[in-house]
Amino acid sequence: MREILPALSAWYAAGVPFGLATVVAVSRSAPRDPGAAMAVGPGDEVVGSVSGGCVEGAVFELAQEVVASGEARLQTFGYSDEDAFAVGLTCGGEITLLVRPVSPATDPAFGEVAESVAAGRPVTVATVTDGPAPRGATLAVWPDRVTGSLGTDGLDVAVTADARGELALGATGLRHYGPRGERREDAVTVFLHSFAPPPRMLVFGAIDYAASVARIGAFLGYRVTVCDARPVFATPKRFPQGVEVVVDWPHRYLRDTDTDGRTVICVLTHDPKFDVPLLEEALRRPAAYIGAMGSRRTHDDRMKRLVEAGLTDRELARLRSPVGLDLGARTPEEVAVSVAAEIVALRWGGTGTPLTATAGAIHPH
């Protein structure tokens, strides 16, 4: 979508309707991920791709039809065993596309969304794909505001909450609701398309606990990097697939790495020669969470050294140490759950209190 936005923005600014096809679901060896897009504009001009060439001809015709009718369509394409030359994916996969007409009249927020994406400002676009709600209806969700509607106030409220959660992770995918936003129903299917890179999780110290923390970090949607100065421990085979492993002194690596308000930093080295200079750097830069592993004794010694290094009370107050929530965790996997629980609680303002001991809304605004 990002690649074809200049053309889409030009068509939209000119008030010319165009057909926009977006991959909303895939299975098996589909060639493109959810969010991939293709559009057909004035003069039958085509930009983008949804399958790398397998079904673009059929999508071209479908896009023309939705522009003419003004009605969005949901279409699934897959490989045909009976006829390998039929329209389908010869790779054996399957993709589901939402094809909808776009113009200032049908999607008043599209121009503002395009501007946000071009400027690097995070936004999630929620679009109804199926069910008893207007197919193709959109709701644009920014961190601080919302534009559009999916048909009912309840659905808008539920989707807005989920969209902001997906936006925090830079995640894209389908969600299911009841007609009025009921979370235990699946009558309405909504595609949440987030325009934000996934946040980073930086794990320092290539120990067994690091492998578990990296695994749960990837599960939560973070782009995970593990860093350790010891090459004998910092090897890719010790960590989940997709996790970046770096051999470098932790404080030096962090000093040369960009972080932002969504970055999570987990210091698992519990060795003063590593973690003191690392935390000195971490506590003075943007990050959503900075946690350090260690016993109470280790924590007290670490705090003393950080004070001697010149860190202020305000900077030290950002440190979550000992790391994690009190779950009674023992194994590396259990400790990783406690760390992840603290990260989630800090992000959304949770208390860690059992829900049986609380009252009121479970997901407050």
Side-chain angles (χ1 to χ4, degrees):
M1 179 68 83
R2 295 177 188 274
E3 297 170 357
I4 66 176
L5 267 179
L8 305 190
S9 297
W11 296 341
Y12 187 85
V16 180
F18 57 89
L20 177 61
T22 305
V23 178
V24 298
V26 301
S27 67
R28 300 190 298 278
S29 56
R32 301 297 303 273
D33 292 327
M38 166 182 160
V40 178
D44 293 338
E45 181 180 354
V46 177
V47 293
S49 171
V50 292
S51 74
C54 298
V55 301
E56 267 68 6
V59 175
F60 173 80
E61 295 179 359
L62 193 56
Q64 291 179 315
E65 292 174 9
V66 301
V67 171
S69 67
E71 298 181 357
R73 297 266 298 275
L74 190 69
Q75 182 71 49
T76 297
F77 294 95
Y79 179 73
S80 171
D81 291 324
E82 291 78 18
D83 184 0
F85 297 100
V87 173
L89 301 176
T90 55
C91 58
E94 184 177 275
I95 61 173
T96 299
L97 305 177
L98 176 70
V99 188
R100 65 186 182 94
V102 178
S103 69
T106 60
D107 191 348
F110 183 88
E112 193 174 1
V113 168
E115 290 177 2
S116 293
V117 175
R121 296 189 295 268
V123 60
T124 293
V125 178
T127 309
V128 174
T129 66
D130 203 8
R135 178 175 289 161
T138 60
L139 181 74
V141 181
W142 288 267
D144 57 350
R145 57 195 171 91
V146 174
T147 298
S149 176
L150 303 182
T152 66
D153 291 341
L155 184 58
D156 289 347
V157 169
V159 172
T160 296
D162 288 346
R164 286 186 173 140
E166 299 292 78
L167 187 59
L169 295 173
T172 288
L174 294 173
R175 288 292 187 100
H176 304 277
Y177 308 87
R180 292 177 294 277
E182 299 91 340
R183 294 182 179 277
R184 297 185 64 182
E185 299 183 23
D186 59 2
V188 179
T189 303
V190 178
F191 180 62
L192 301 181
H193 193 176
S194 297
F195 293 94
R200 298 199 65 182
M201 172 182 280
L202 306 177
V203 181
F204 294 96
I207 60 177
D208 289 344
Y209 291 95
S212 296
V213 171
R215 185 175 296 107
I216 201 167
F219 174 76
L220 290 176
Y222 289 92
R223 180 164 66 93
V224 182
T225 298
V226 176
C227 175
D228 197 301
R230 301 164 297 180
V232 67
F233 295 113
T235 60
K237 67 180 181 181
R238 299 185 66 235
F239 296 93
Q241 185 176 4
V243 170
E244 180 186 28
V245 180
V246 174
V247 178
D248 200 350
W249 279 83
H251 72 282
R252 184 169 61 193
Y253 174 77
L254 182 58
R255 186 180 59 219
D256 296 332
T257 300
D258 291 333
T259 63
D260 59 27
R262 301 184 301 152
T263 303
V264 166
I265 299 174
C266 297
V267 179
L268 310 182
T269 50
H270 53 77
D271 182 332
K273 71 175 177 290
F274 290 125
D275 60 15
V276 171
L278 171 60
L279 287 170
E280 187 177 354
E281 174 69 30
L283 293 169
R284 288 171 170 161
R285 60 167 49 233
Y289 175 90
I290 303 170
M293 176 176 282
S295 65
R296 304 285 183 188
R297 181 177 178 180
T298 298
H299 169 73
D300 291 341
D301 177 70
R302 180 190 292 134
M303 293 293 284
K304 179 181 178 181
R305 292 172 183 267
L306 290 172
V307 169
E308 293 173 351
L311 272 79
T312 66
D313 291 343
R314 184 175 182 179
E315 291 168 338
L316 292 172
R318 301 179 63 202
L319 179 61
R320 317 290 290 193
S321 174
V323 69
L325 297 185
D326 180 14
L327 304 182
R330 293 291 188 274
T331 68
E333 292 78 13
E334 291 174 343
V335 170
V337 170
S338 78
V339 173
E342 185 174 44
I343 291 170
V344 173
L346 187 63
R347 180 197 300 156
W348 298 114
T351 64
T353 304
L355 290 175
T356 53
T358 65
I362 295 176
H363 303 288
H365 293 297

